[in-house]
Amino acid sequence: MTVAYHTDVSPEAILAGMPSAERPCKIGPGRIPCAHTTPGELLDMLRQLRDEHGFTHLELLTAEEMQTASDDDGVGAEPGVRMVYGLTRRSDRRTMVIYVALPDGALEVPSISSLWRGAAPLEREVFDLFGVHFNGHPALTRIVLRDDFVGHPLRKSFEMPEGGVSAETVRAAAASHGDAHLRADGTADPASIPGLDPALLPCPEPGFETERIVVHMGPQHPSTHGVLHLWLVLDGETVVAAQPTQGYLHRCIEKLAESRDYRACTALLDRCDYVSGFHTELAHVLAVEELCGIESTPKADFLRVLFSELVRITSHHTWFAAAGLDTGALTPFLYAFIDRELILDFFEEVTGGRMMFNYFRPGGVKDDLPPGAAARMVEYLRTFDRAVDEYEALLTGNEIFRARTRGVAFLDRVTIADYCVTGPMARASGVDIDLRRDQPYAAYDRLPVRVALGEAGDTFERYLVRIAEMRESARLALAALEGLPEGPHVSDGVPRTIKPPKGAAYRAVESPRGELGVYLVSDGSAQPWRLKVRSPAMSNIHAAGPLCAGLRLADVAPVVGSIDIVMGEIDR
Amino acid sequence: MVVDEETRALVAPLQKLLDWARGHSMWPLTFGTACCAIEMMTVGSARYDTDRFGIFFRNSPRQADCMIVAGTINLKMAPRLKLLYDQMAAPKYVIAMGSCAVAGGPFAAGYNVVNGVDAIVPVDIYLTGCPPRPEALIHALLTLMERNAAGEPSAAELHAAEVRRAAQEATW
């Protein structure tokens, strides 16, 4: 189905022409078009925006506590929560935000999981952390916290435990699994697993004495790449249905950020996506800069590109190592980690840390490159292609690897749009999106960005796209080093205490996993009112359900590996 | 330990032999939850290469001697940590790797984070850092192996003795 969109119609004009869009305005200094609507009209409005105006990508689904004092857009004398829906039109990368104000006592809104299936886990997260009820949601249960958790922690009224969680609470928690989908003996209760169709459970062929069984894979499993938990319904060796669940690494990052100043948030966000910390840092710093009207210097822009690309390479190294291990090959791990260490040495030399950098600051970066570092990096990056050739020699033509990955787990464009999949996952299926080119930030507008694009959309294609991205990243990093301008690495006049004016900003960067965004709301104080990380891996991993259905059990590990998840960023 | 001149056999008390073996081979469980897990992976890679010390990572708790708690543990993960620890065969050891496992780290003030895994399992080695460098993890493992070679009791044994003593005192 091809629909011609009127891309010349601006989001502002669309919202102005919609009767259900109340008080169209713009938020933040970034002037993102936004409008308010009521729960009753939300579903129709979003459907109209998606089907008639081409806003097919659900970029953001979250909530924020209402600022009761006096909001800059005139909302909210009443205490409560407001839902935030961010939609993006791919054709011209315009974004709009729809707000739905929900006063306390009426925290109910229709679920939009009928429009985007990928909205279902995001709504469960909002239910978990804010207590908003989504009418018509297929399975509205907690997703990040234990089912026996009391309260909704991202509400401002939530009382934080004094001095953190007490040892008594921990011991009590360790004594019970606290999972409503498990029986007391730890086995799964299939009928209660959120998102799993109970109709799948009985074996369809009468007379066959086989039984469908439910297996949990994870959270402790060598091939789940962290503490991912998958419910698998098996018919013998065949996966009938798969349902990812999460929350084993929820570390309260978004809540803790609300009590830290804007610079200190960077340290928390480093630990959010711990495999590519520079990207989470960058999205946050860009949002802070936008809120405060701070400009970074040209040199800092280039350094930001340099480190974003280097860390993308190390992130892909980790993925490559896992890709080998998942298919039974150990050598790729050994090869990839040799080069990863060489790049980590550069990080350590410049930032002082191997993984936790705290390097990007509002207005620039913490330090300039030490003497001689640029020359050594150039020397290393010039030989990088040869290292990738070695990786490819191990896997690309490898008979076993190809047999395990080619033609396995096709991801089609409909599923990509449905689950809001971004990054290499989408690009391997021929969806040509890359924020570095489409919505350039830092110095990407001054550098030759080439997007690695695939077509087939199977596990092998995702492998090829990431391999091509490693080469591209090295090329971009080299270009950033060669074009590095002279001048200061941080701009003058950034205040010691950052107090942005009231408002909101949303900035996204292209992380190794996809579109990683930070939605930042300021109430005028030195701490953020709300900091939300749009996690690309969270959207991507929930597409594992349709991806794994019909596969053999042994293929689940390589397929989940090809999604390339980082649980820290998914659970936050 | 002595070598018998006639038979060239090694003669030693069995406990000494066991200590010697435990001091030269340590199989940790791959129990990585967060950032520290990446550094835990790194110690097995070419630059750090823990194989040379007799340290081989195992995927099953039943084959492992030592659990490296590499990363933040939250309330949802806590029962799983306990279950895995209980599945390990004695003698067993725990290394709390990184500030989170030691005391909650940067997330200690949170509503969902375990402030130190010693509330759940007895810890032998506390290894600070966020995350600790691979060299630091190797040092932690070697320290544990040295202690074993010297025949020192593990935290689990000390904990069990403590529990026994408390029970005995309660009966007096």
Side-chain angles (χ1 to χ4, degrees), chain B residues 7 12 16 45 47 49 54 58 69 77 81 103 110 115-116 134 146 149-150 153 164-165 167:
Chain B
T7 56
K16 277 243 153 58
S45 71
R47 186 186 279 187
D49 186 20
R58 307 307 302 171
V69 184
M77 196 64 194
L81 167 76
N115 293 324
E146 271 167 29
R164 270 199 307 276
R165 197 177 315 125

Side-chain angles (χ1 to χ4, degrees), chain A residues 18-20 37 77 91 166-167 181 232 250 266 277 340 363 371 440 451 461 472 491 497 503 522-523 541 543:
Chain A
M18 272 186 148
S20 54
T37 192
S91 50
S166 68
H181 318 298
L232 301 171
H250 179 64
T266 322
R340 185 172 181 273
V451 179
E461 196 82 348
E472 275 307 315
S491 54
T497 308
S522 164
D523 62 343
I541 190 60

